[in-house]
Amino acid sequence: MQLRWYFKNWSALSLAHFHAIEQLRIAVFVVEQDCPYQDLDGKDLHSQHIYALDEEDRCMAYARLVEPGVSYSEPSIGRVATHLESRRSGLGKELMRVTLQHHQKSYPNWGNRISAQCYLIPFYESFGFEKVGEPYLEDDIPHIQMFRK
């Protein structure tokens, strides 16, 4: 599968690309996880969008890099998702590598704070994130705050 990677802020994001992104986010976070929640939370307006489209312009991987001061005092990575067809292919790890590289270019010498689903703790630890505090429920799904220096 041939993927094209994009790095766009809100004003540069096309409607077609945002539609593809929303299809993936809703498929993963609402349908697969059976979790009705408000996906459009206003943070997209203050984020850089990192995503990969396939030959059919389907969004296969996505993450948003939220500006400092919006979710936390530090930048934050969120809405990390991969298409069901690309799971277990290494695309999730590639997405995190690309996103963290983009974070370093955009916010050199800044840490990154995330709200991670608890079952993904080992995944995020493999990228240098450390657990902070105790688990909590977010949209009825166990999460934990994690930080990467």
Side-chain angles (χ1 to χ4, degrees):
M1 175 183 335
Q2 189 71 7
L3 296 177
R4 300 176 317 278
W5 286 94
Y6 295 89
F7 309 89
K8 305 270 185 174
N9 62 28
W10 178 255
S11 62
L13 199 57
S14 74
L15 289 175
H17 284 196
F18 185 66
H19 184 266
I21 288 166
E22 270 305 295
Q23 282 185 312
L24 176 64
R25 285 173 24 176
I26 290 169
V28 171
F29 299 118
V30 177
V31 177
E32 285 181 36
Q33 295 184 352
D34 192 23
C35 181
Y37 80 107
Q38 185 62 43
D39 184 48
L40 297 176
D41 57 6
K43 294 178 184 179
D44 290 320
L45 306 173
H46 306 283
S47 298
Q48 296 175 47
H49 304 270
I50 297 102
Y51 57 102
L53 301 181
D54 70 4
E55 302 89 354
E56 298 171 24
D57 287 335
R58 295 182 304 164
C59 188
M60 301 306 285
Y62 173 82
R64 69 180 180 188
L65 178 58
V66 183
E67 296 172 1
V70 176
S71 294
Y72 304 104
S73 58
E74 307 88 0
S76 178
I77 297 170
R79 299 293 198 268
V80 177
T82 56
H83 195 284
L84 185 60
E85 289 179 22
S86 65
R87 305 262 170 83
R88 307 254 184 255
S89 69
L91 184 56
K93 290 179 181 178
E94 179 66 14
L95 171 63
M96 281 305 295
R97 279 192 293 273
V98 167
T99 301
L100 289 168
Q101 287 172 354
H102 194 69
H103 168 250
Q104 192 56 39
K105 286 181 191 174
S106 300
Y107 303 105
N109 304 315
W110 280 77
N112 194 289
R113 189 172 302 275
I114 62 173
S115 178
Q117 292 184 8
C118 287
Y119 83 95
L120 290 169
I121 290 170
F123 175 76
Y124 290 113
E125 284 177 334
S126 74
F127 291 98
F129 284 91
E130 298 177 355
K131 294 180 284 189
V132 177
E134 297 298 319
Y136 53 91
L137 287 179
E138 186 175 311
D139 300 315
D140 289 327
I141 297 173
H143 281 71
I144 192 161
Q145 197 174 113
M146 298 185 82
F147 184 74
R148 181 179 188 264
K149 297 178 185 175

